[in-house]
Amino acid sequence: MSNVGFRIYTKINRPSRELVEAFADIPVANIADNMGRITCVDSYIKPYNEAKLLGTALTVRAPLGDNLMFHKAIDMAEPGDIIVVDGESNMNHALCGEIMMRLAMKKGIAGFLIDGCIRDVDALKDLDFAVYARGSNPKGPYKNGPGEINVPVSCGGQAVLPGDIIVGDSDGVVVIRPEDAEDLVAKGTKHNQNEVKVFEEIENGTIDRSWVDESLKAKGCEIIE
Ligand SMILES: O=C([O-])CC(=O)C(=O)O
Ligand SMILES: [Mg+2]
């Protein structure tokens, strides 16, 4: 039986918690720089508080302005999951508010990443629960379906698969396939260490800036005295 457009897959192949947590101290920019700079969600999707986003994707496809499947996803989610909602970038209805955020928090859900709108933005400022969304709208959602859970979704121009590792900070959000994660933890950690070295060189005045002029010269830039 196939019920395309209105179906729920219950199983997610989640990476280990340890592997997900290994990204905790790596800024999103330092992860993205090791991924060809092409795996970040659209910058229109913004954090609504200071809480860090780190967890495993449970995906939802929500038809325009309808959050029935989003509610079901909260009930299905496990601690550490991030509910990633493909709301088709719709700006006309909120897909969640404070009730759903508090419910999710209580369950240990790690956050919401929503290509669509939220509401109760003022209340969210004081909640220790990460919510990233495209915008806000006071108009509430419908609850009729259809929709799908745990299928590949589009969120901020990125394909997100159930089980993907999601990392967000004030700069934005990056999407990581679990099979790439170990390598990216190693590269991101090295990236962090290199940056610490650069910061030290800036402080003690030993930073080598010769690469700027060398690069301009190699690219044929004319410098006029
Ligand atoms: O009506 C809904 O499902 C969303 C909502 O306002 C809330 O979560 O507070
Ligand atoms: Mg509400």
Side-chain angles (χ1 to χ4, degrees):
M1 225 280 282
S2 165
N3 202 18
V4 178
F6 200 17
R7 60 186 171 184
I8 293 169
Y9 293 90
T10 58
K11 288 207 179 66
I12 301 177
N13 282 327
R14 292 175 176 86
S16 74
R17 200 62 219 155
E18 195 186 358
L19 185 55
V20 176
E21 287 297 333
F23 286 99
D25 296 323
I26 310 176
V28 169
N30 292 359
I31 302 168
D33 274 7
N34 288 288
M35 300 180 80
R37 301 176 166 83
I38 57 170
T39 58
C40 292
V41 306
D42 190 302
S43 61
Y44 286 110
I45 294 182
K46 297 277 188 209
Y48 276 79
N49 59 24
E50 306 261 292
K52 169 129 182 156
L53 188 73
L54 178 63
T56 301
L58 186 160
T59 65
V60 178
R61 291 185 74 189
L64 295 176
D66 192 291
N67 77 351
L68 179 61
M69 286 302 201
F70 194 167
H71 275 277
K72 177 63 182 170
I74 290 173
D75 291 347
M76 287 170 56
E78 294 186 1
D81 284 349
I82 290 172
I83 300 183
V84 178
V85 183
D86 175 355
E88 298 188 307
S89 312
N90 182 280
M91 299 299 280
N92 293 328
H93 294 270
L95 290 174
C96 70
E98 188 178 0
I99 292 171
M100 292 169 74
M101 293 161 192
R102 285 186 181 277
L103 259 174
M105 251 179 97
K106 185 77 181 164
K107 285 197 72 175
I109 292 171
F112 294 161
L113 172 61
I114 303 170
D115 197 340
C117 284
I118 61 169
R119 59 181 177 175
D120 303 330
V121 167
D122 288 337
L124 180 55
K125 282 183 200 138
D126 297 324
L127 288 185
D128 184 23
F129 182 71
V131 177
Y132 285 61
R134 190 171 281 264
S136 66
N137 196 314
K139 284 190 288 177
Y142 300 103
K143 292 173 172 49
N144 302 316
E148 295 188 320
I149 294 180
N150 287 329
V151 293
V153 298
S154 163
C155 186
Q158 291 298 324
V160 181
L161 310 180
D164 280 353
I165 297 170
I166 307 291
V167 191
D169 61 21
S170 305
D171 289 344
V173 178
V174 69
V175 179
I176 300 161
R177 304 274 182 262
E179 60 269 29
D180 298 324
E182 221 172 279
D183 180 49
L184 288 168
V185 167
K187 286 177 174 162
T189 304
K190 191 144 181 276
H191 204 109
N192 283 3
Q193 288 160 355
N194 287 344
E195 291 211 338
V196 168
K197 215 172 124 238
V198 171
F199 300 152
E200 281 167 9
E201 287 170 0
I202 291 169
E203 276 312 303
N204 63 28
T206 59
I207 185 120
D208 179 7
R209 302 288 293 160
S210 58
W211 68 268
V212 179
D213 282 342
E214 279 163 18
S215 178
L216 289 170
K217 192 172 166 204
K219 290 171 197 293
C221 175
E222 184 187 11
I223 295 178
I224 299 144
E225 301 278 351

